[in-house]
Amino acid sequence: MRNRITEMFGIEVPIFGFTHKPEVAIEVTNAGGMGALAASYYQPDELERILTDMDEKTGGRPYCIDVLFANKVGQVTPMSERLKALPKEHIEFVEKLLNNAGIPPLPPEVEAEMLREKPPGHGHTEEGVLEVLEIVVRHPQATFVLSAMGAPPAYVVDRLHSRGIKVGAMAGSAEHALKHVRAGVDLIVAQGSEAGGHTGTISSMVLWPEVVEAVAPIPVLAAGGVGSGRHVAAAFALGAEGVWCGTIWLGASESELSPDMRKRFVAARSQDAIQRKYDTGKPLRGLRSKWTDAWDAPDAPEPLPLAAQKLLVAPALKRLELANAVDYMGYMSGQIVGSIKAERPVRDIMKSMTSECLAVLKTLSSKS
């Protein structure tokens, strides 16, 4: 499994593990791959502590930081005005849904905190991004930074390259990938529509070779529907030089999910990872639940645009979380969720993916 990617980062296997949980990133890294930590929503002091801990627990091995880069944002409408603009029909629908499910209201202190005006997340302003980058460059093991949405701005690429840090970007089409290459990235993550979260519309089988051909000789990581060694071998066959995985780690014992939610992931089928607009206002693939079923009903209103829908449902989703209403709760999930058959440690998943990939490659080689 040695190739340009393993040589580029000094890792043993070209398996990248995207996660919101530092412990998962640490375990993927220590198993010979590269853990990729979603960092945009951490405050600077918290991110500093996390990366220091990752440095100590990964024994000098490299890891990746995943960031939602952005350019300068315009003036933000005050929270009070945004709340007044929400349609009455939508507010009543959400409230009725929660009341019928017996979900208690938010505690006053939690509601007050959620309604408090907050600055945009650190991944969403140029000032915040620069603050994150200053933390990242202080940690030499953070050798790869990925732009999770859109081409990384020039100031990001220049700053990271000046410190010897590789830069990548996620793409859902060959056109997007070419835009990233023009921005100066070192590699592309081609994410098929099977993936969890916000994705494009092109499936992995079609997308991966399209992107490989479009951006050559830039190396490509394959994402979307990857969770086994056979998938890794398939990615190699389609021209990718590594894989980027996210959903498969959610069934791991170290994942950020509660034990009850992990059980739901183990029980889920591939078709339970559905694309809907109900949580963010944009198509997002996540686990089906009684919440999504209610929004699918004929009497449900149409989702609002991005910012408004997020504002509408944020308190509701927090109420579901605090009530541990697991049947109503979802989480970003790709279609590979149907392959999660049991809760396992990350290292076991990594070992299985690696050994299965090598076995498949050996079998294919013997038949040629």
Side-chain angles (χ1 to χ4, degrees), residues 38-320:
S40 289
Y41 295 96
Y42 291 116
Q43 292 302 311
D45 56 344
E46 187 178 14
L47 182 61
E48 177 65 48
R49 289 195 302 271
I50 288 171
L51 297 191
T52 298
D53 187 57
M54 289 180 65
D55 291 342
E56 294 173 354
K57 293 179 179 178
T58 50
R61 297 180 180 88
Y63 53 80
C64 170
I65 300 298
D66 178 282
V67 182
L68 290 169
F69 292 126
N71 292 299
K72 294 179 181 179
V73 296
Q75 185 176 1
V76 178
T77 305
M79 175 77 78
S80 57
E81 293 183 26
R82 284 181 281 154
L83 287 171
K84 290 178 183 177
L86 293 177
K88 181 179 179 182
E89 174 193 11
H90 287 72
I91 295 172
E92 291 177 347
F93 172 79
V94 171
E95 192 62 29
K96 181 180 178 182
L97 192 167
L98 296 176
N99 288 340
N100 288 345
I103 308 299
L106 287 174
E109 64 276 10
V110 175
E111 183 175 21
E113 173 61 21
M114 292 197 72
L115 295 178
R116 182 173 63 85
E117 289 284 358
K118 303 179 183 70
H122 267 67
H124 301 285
T125 66
E126 184 174 337
E127 179 185 6
V129 167
L130 288 171
E131 196 167 1
V132 168
L133 296 185
E134 284 307 306
I135 294 170
V136 170
V137 299
R138 291 201 294 266
H139 296 268
Q141 290 171 239
T143 61
F144 178 33
V145 172
L146 182 98
S147 175
M149 189 178 295
Y155 72 87
V156 169
V157 176
D158 293 343
R159 179 77 175 108
L160 294 174
H161 278 171
S162 72
R163 300 298 292 264
I165 297 172
K166 301 296 184 184
V167 183
M170 189 82 70
S173 70
E175 291 79 8
H176 290 160
L178 287 169
K179 182 178 180 181
H180 301 336
V181 171
R182 290 192 291 270
V185 302
D186 301 288
L187 63 86
I188 297 292
V189 178
Q191 179 180 260
S193 60
E194 300 94 325
H198 296 109
T199 73
T201 58
I202 306 172
S203 68
S204 294
M205 182 67 73
V206 175
L207 179 69
W208 296 348
E210 279 189 358
V211 172
V212 168
E213 183 176 350
V215 306
I218 301 294
V220 173
L221 300 179
V226 179
S228 73
R230 285 175 291 175
H231 294 121
V232 180
F236 289 158
L238 292 173
E241 297 188 50
V243 295
W244 178 276
C245 316
T247 299
I248 196 65
W249 317 115
L250 293 174
S253 50
E254 299 93 340
S255 86
E256 65 266 34
L257 300 183
S258 69
D260 288 338
M261 281 300 292
R262 282 201 290 270
K263 289 177 182 177
R264 281 200 58 208
F265 268 71
V266 170
R269 306 165 300 166
S270 296
Q271 57 265 43
D272 291 325
I274 58 175
Q275 267 193 330
R276 297 292 190 273
K277 295 182 178 181
Y278 310 141
D279 288 345
T280 68
K282 291 182 65 177
L284 179 141
R285 191 178 297 283
L287 201 63
R288 180 186 173 189
S289 67
K290 290 184 177 179
W291 167 264
T292 62
D293 287 349
W295 279 94
D296 275 339
D299 62 338
E302 287 295 315
L304 300 170
L306 176 63
Q309 184 70 13
K310 290 179 71 173
L311 182 64
L312 171 72
V313 305
L317 298 179
K318 188 66 176 179
R319 285 171 64 179
L320 294 173

Side-chain angles (χ1 to χ4, degrees), residues 1 15 226-236 243 349-361:
M1 297 176 75
I15 298 174
V226 179
S228 73
R230 285 175 291 175
H231 294 121
V232 180
F236 289 158
V243 295
I349 299 172
M350 283 288 292
K351 183 178 180 180
S352 174
M353 290 177 70
T354 302
S355 60
E356 184 180 63
C357 176
L358 292 173
V360 170
L361 294 176

Side-chain angles (χ1 to χ4, degrees), residues 17-35:
F18 169 78
T19 178
H20 291 86
K21 189 75 177 294
E23 287 78 4
V24 173
I26 289 168
E27 289 301 305
V28 171
T29 295
N30 285 339
M34 179 174 270

